[in-house]
Amino acid sequence: VRESGTIFAVPTYAFIAGVMLTIGIGLARSTGLFGMEPLPSFEESVPATTSLVGFAYIWLLLRAFAGGCTALTGMEAISNGVKAFKAPEPQNAAKTMVAMGIIAMTLFVGITFLSTRMHLVPVEHGESILSQLTRQVTGTGIVYYWVQIFTALILFLAANTGYQDFPRLSSYLAKDGFLPRWMQNRGDRLVFSSGIVVLAVISSLIVIIFRADEIAMLPLYALGVMLSFTLSQAGMSRLMGKIGQLKPGETDMTNVT
């Protein structure tokens, strides 16, 4: 676990350092600090396709909420892997979650501020906002390629998260009878091999069906995040309600309705 964690940590820290440096240079240029050249500004804009009234406004809010929930998908990697932390596990996991939240919000706010300041526009099947931002702020030198390379590595590592969490989650569901019992089987490497194989097959089919078009597959990602968070939070709320029905000193919830 420690060796694999070290391997995963290197591109993560490198990505954070590169983007933080980009944001720092961008803020310095936007404020004229150290006499640096001001940031360029582009007057491009995205025309509105619908008026923000009635259902369109509600739909926009729901879509924004679903998109925002995708930023929470790293939290389950920490919560599902509490046992992998050093003792005391819960406290260290909580500290890690707080640190991750602070880093994520810092990067998000910095990128959003600079992108808005320069009026950068996302281009479908084109250059990403982060790539545009880095190129305009730092040029096409070492910092630009640093951010691009470690962004790609971060995405590869993010795909690996599903292969860590889904097999473990499917084993829990199989234990409760909601999935086939063989999903509990562990392989020679003491991982849930059945869950890994099932996820690999399903992922491959989705990639083939959507012809590896990430823009077309993105709604599936947002839908999956919204559905999983809604079900998990609903289950937690119901559990907390049952706990609230317990009498003082009672711990058995078998008879709680």
Side-chain angles (χ1 to χ4, degrees):
V1 173
R2 180 172 299 176
E3 285 75 7
S4 63
T6 302
I7 295 174
F8 286 2
V10 171
T12 302
Y13 289 141
F15 170 79
I16 294 173
V19 178
M20 285 291 191
L21 179 60
T22 301
I23 293 174
I25 296 174
L27 292 176
R29 291 183 60 179
S30 66
T31 58
L33 192 64
F34 307 122
M36 300 183 71
E37 181 183 357
L39 289 172
S41 178
F42 307 94
E43 299 303 325
E44 298 182 29
S45 61
V46 179
T49 55
T50 56
S51 59
L52 299 181
V53 294
F55 180 75
Y57 183 71
I58 297 176
W59 175 255
L60 180 64
L61 290 179
L62 292 175
R63 183 177 179 182
F65 181 75
C69 283
T70 61
L72 301 176
T73 56
M75 298 297 182
E76 89 283 355
I78 297 177
S79 60
N80 291 344
V82 173
K83 294 182 180 180
F85 284 85
K86 291 182 179 180
E89 293 86 351
Q91 289 84 341
N92 288 329
K95 292 178 182 178
T96 303
M97 191 171 291
V98 171
M100 191 184 78
I102 294 174
I103 293 172
M105 288 306 302
T106 301
L107 296 178
F108 177 78
V109 172
I111 293 172
T112 301
F113 173 78
L114 293 177
S115 301
T116 305
R117 185 73 177 267
M118 291 187 290
H119 301 93
L120 299 179
V121 178
V123 180
E124 185 173 339
H125 301 293
E127 189 178 11
S128 67
I129 284 291
L130 182 58
S131 176
Q132 295 181 53
L133 172 64
T134 310
R135 179 168 53 81
Q136 296 298 334
V137 171
T138 67
T140 56
I142 185 173
V143 177
Y144 174 77
Y145 289 103
W146 177 284
V147 172
Q148 299 312 304
I149 291 172
F150 286 107
T151 298
L153 291 177
I154 282 291
L155 293 176
F156 281 119
L157 296 181
N160 182 70
T161 305
Y163 287 91
Q164 292 178 334
D165 293 335
F166 174 79
R168 188 182 297 114
L169 176 61
S170 61
S171 70
Y172 296 152
L173 294 175
K175 183 178 179 180
D176 294 334
F178 294 103
L179 285 177
R181 296 293 182 182
W182 49 264
M183 297 288 283
Q184 302 180 71
N185 297 339
R186 290 181 182 267
D188 296 337
R189 296 180 180 271
L190 301 181
V191 295
F192 298 103
S193 303
S194 299
I196 294 176
V197 172
V198 169
L199 181 59
V201 172
I202 295 176
S203 301
S204 301
L205 290 175
I206 292 177
V207 171
I208 294 172
I209 292 172
F210 286 88
R211 300 180 179 179
D213 186 347
E214 72 279 4
I215 301 299
M217 290 187 287
L218 191 60
L220 295 179
Y221 180 69
L223 179 63
V225 170
M226 280 294 297
L227 182 61
S228 60
F229 277 130
T230 301
L231 291 175
S232 63
Q233 295 303 312
M236 291 178 65
S237 299
R238 182 179 179 185
L239 177 61
M240 293 303 295
K242 289 187 175 183
I243 293 176
Q245 298 178 27
L246 293 176
K247 298 178 181 179
E250 185 181 3
T251 58
D252 185 10
M253 293 193 299
T254 304
N255 298 323
V256 178
T257 58

